[in-house]
Amino acid sequence: MQKWFEDAKLGIFIHYGIYAVDGVAESWSFYNGRMSYEDYMKQLDGFTASKFDADAWADLIEKSGAKYAVLTTKHHDGVALWDTQHSHLNTVKKTPAARDIVKQYADAITEKGLRLGFYFSLIDWSHPDYPSVYEGGNVPEDPASANRFSSPVDGIQDESRWEKFLEFNNRQLEELLTGYGKVDLLWFDGDWERSAEQWNLPHFKHYLKSFQPEIIINSRLQGHGDYKTPEQGLPITRPEGPWEFCTTINGSWGYVPADEHYKSLHQIVRMFCDCISMGGNMLLDIGPKEDGTIDERQEAILLGLGSWIRAHEEAVYGTKEGVMSRYYGDGSTLSADEKTLYLFVHGDPKESICMKGLCNEIQKVSVLHSGKPLTYDIHGGVPWFQIPGTTWIHLTREDTHELTTVIKLEFAEKVNMYGGSGAVVTHN
């Protein structure tokens, strides 16, 4: 795992494609029969990207506090956002936009000094050779029940056609990994429709890294990825190893104007704090409109999140996961040397916040965004049994941030937490 990824904390996901023309769900709309394939593909004629400004995207992403971005270069519908030489189904040849979206995006992101990420769908529901085999080669009892976009409906598998599809994928990925400079991250999707053996793993991963040796690949590679990607449901238990939580700003990945179910800025900040408290990143999604502009509500959330991060950046960048939630429930991070603890406070406390199990002597407590020193009390504890008391940090509404407040605790030594069950005091 590259250190930059673990230090990044925030990335911006961008779902952009022809599905923004009618504001329908990307790819799944035709796969699940909510509209015909023909009607879905008619959106090619309306995709103009007439106001697409990659530099404006990159500027917004930088202002959000994100350190990397991931663009959907090709979703399950098979429509490529670059001038691929291996399919006519792309935004250069088949849409009025007639432009290489990936090229402009990659140049702008790189120019800003952000890490460059590409989403790529392993599955392609438009390619004639894709629905040639079943997952794991297992023919279902009723082949006719299979979806015609992903599997043969006659029960007959054609391995030669599948090999042709794999070669097609390899050639498109070669274009992405050799034509756009240094690519830092590949974000695969769709691995579930075929087995690791069918995807030719682990050889396939070695092939990818032959073009970009330092590239990071997400978990959606049938067990051969570099980090986990829980989606939409925030983890309750910390995933093992490096991880990233991907989520939408409202309920949709792409631009769906009818979707008014937006998360508030406070909710987004809280989710972000929960991620970094558990040592993970958040990949927050935006869905540009067909013309390439960003909905003002999505833009406002990114700018608000960036403003909060800038006011609290020492509690974000370069930190590691904080103490366990049994010690402090709202989440926390630790400085790299583990001598500073940052506590997140999401509400307005009545008089104080409570921290349990802290063995260290506190040198200083302060509000991070204002620098104001705070007082505290310690009640209880049995020092001769090495059992700490409960620390109560005095904090009232007038000292809080309008979103989430961060309390900074400084120590002379590394943070040391008590994990026992207490004891009967047998002598005083």
Side-chain angles (χ1 to χ4, degrees), residues 144-333:
S145 66
N147 192 300
R148 67 184 178 91
F149 295 110
S150 58
S151 304
V153 295
D154 57 5
I156 300 173
Q157 301 189 76
D158 189 334
E159 294 291 343
S160 63
R161 286 179 58 204
W162 176 246
E163 290 301 319
K164 285 173 60 180
F165 176 75
L166 290 181
E167 182 63 16
F168 163 73
N169 258 9
N170 284 351
R171 296 285 75 81
Q172 284 203 322
L173 284 161
E174 181 182 8
E175 288 178 328
L176 289 172
L177 295 177
T178 60
Y180 300 95
K182 188 176 189 298
V183 182
D184 297 290
L185 187 151
L186 259 182
W187 213 101
F188 283 127
D189 204 8
D191 65 326
W192 63 83
E193 286 198 337
R194 301 291 186 262
S195 67
E197 183 178 7
Q198 287 171 316
W199 290 124
N200 197 22
L201 290 163
H203 178 75
F204 177 50
K205 185 176 181 181
H206 297 323
Y207 167 78
L208 299 170
K209 290 180 80 70
S210 71
F211 301 114
Q212 299 274 353
E214 296 182 347
I215 200 165
I216 297 170
I217 301 174
N218 74 332
S219 62
R220 302 181 186 198
L221 203 60
Q222 288 289 3
H224 292 269
D226 299 319
Y227 66 94
K228 296 179 174 63
T229 56
E231 179 175 333
Q232 294 288 53
L234 193 68
I236 304 302
T237 301
R238 186 213 193 283
E240 292 184 10
W243 65 280
E244 167 197 81
F245 170 61
C246 58
T247 189
T248 52
I249 281 182
N250 52 9
S252 307
W253 293 103
Y255 178 66
V256 179
D259 184 355
E260 301 281 346
H261 194 205
Y262 274 77
K263 301 173 182 70
S264 69
L265 176 57
H266 185 273
Q267 290 168 338
I268 294 289
V269 170
R270 175 157 191 166
M271 294 165 68
F272 175 63
C273 291
D274 284 349
C275 287
I276 65 176
S277 292
M278 292 190 287
N281 292 354
M282 183 163 78
L283 185 64
L284 181 62
D285 180 70
I286 57 174
K289 298 177 183 179
E290 169 276 319
D291 64 5
T293 59
I294 310 297
D295 186 291
E296 60 184 13
R297 292 166 294 182
Q298 299 189 18
E299 181 178 0
I301 285 175
L302 263 59
L303 291 174
L305 176 57
S307 178
W308 182 88
I309 290 175
R310 283 191 297 276
H312 303 95
E313 61 181 26
E314 72 170 85
V316 177
Y317 305 127
T319 62
K320 56 180 69 176
E321 63 190 280
V323 297
M324 297 174 69
S325 59
R326 62 182 179 179
Y327 299 120
Y328 179 73
D330 274 3
S332 61
T333 56

Side-chain angles (χ1 to χ4, degrees), residues 303-427:
L303 291 174
L305 176 57
S307 178
W308 182 88
I309 290 175
R310 283 191 297 276
H312 303 95
E313 61 181 26
E314 72 170 85
V316 177
Y317 305 127
T319 62
K320 56 180 69 176
E321 63 190 280
V323 297
M324 297 174 69
S325 59
R326 62 182 179 179
Y327 299 120
Y328 179 73
D330 274 3
S332 61
T333 56
L334 272 168
S335 60
D337 64 6
E338 300 184 20
K339 294 181 180 180
T340 306
L341 178 65
Y342 303 95
L343 304 180
F344 300 123
V345 183
H346 300 301
D348 294 330
K350 298 296 184 183
E351 60 177 23
S352 56
I353 59 172
C354 173
M355 186 174 186
K356 297 172 285 185
L358 180 63
C359 297
N360 299 70
E361 180 179 343
I362 299 173
Q363 289 191 318
K364 182 181 179 181
V365 185
S366 59
V367 180
L368 185 57
H369 75 275
S370 67
K372 180 179 177 179
L374 297 176
T375 59
Y376 62 93
D377 284 328
I378 299 175
H379 290 290
V382 189
W384 51 96
F385 286 167
Q386 289 77 52
I387 298 173
T390 302
T391 302
W392 298 90
I393 300 169
H394 304 141
L395 179 68
T396 53
R397 184 172 184 174
E398 57 266 24
D399 293 323
T400 60
H401 190 276
E402 61 182 337
L403 294 169
T404 290
T405 309
V406 180
I407 303 304
K408 177 180 179 180
L409 287 81
E410 300 173 65
F411 312 101
E413 304 294 337
K414 288 185 177 182
V415 169
N416 179 26
M417 306 302 294
Y418 171 76
S421 303
V424 176
V425 179
T426 57
H427 59 276

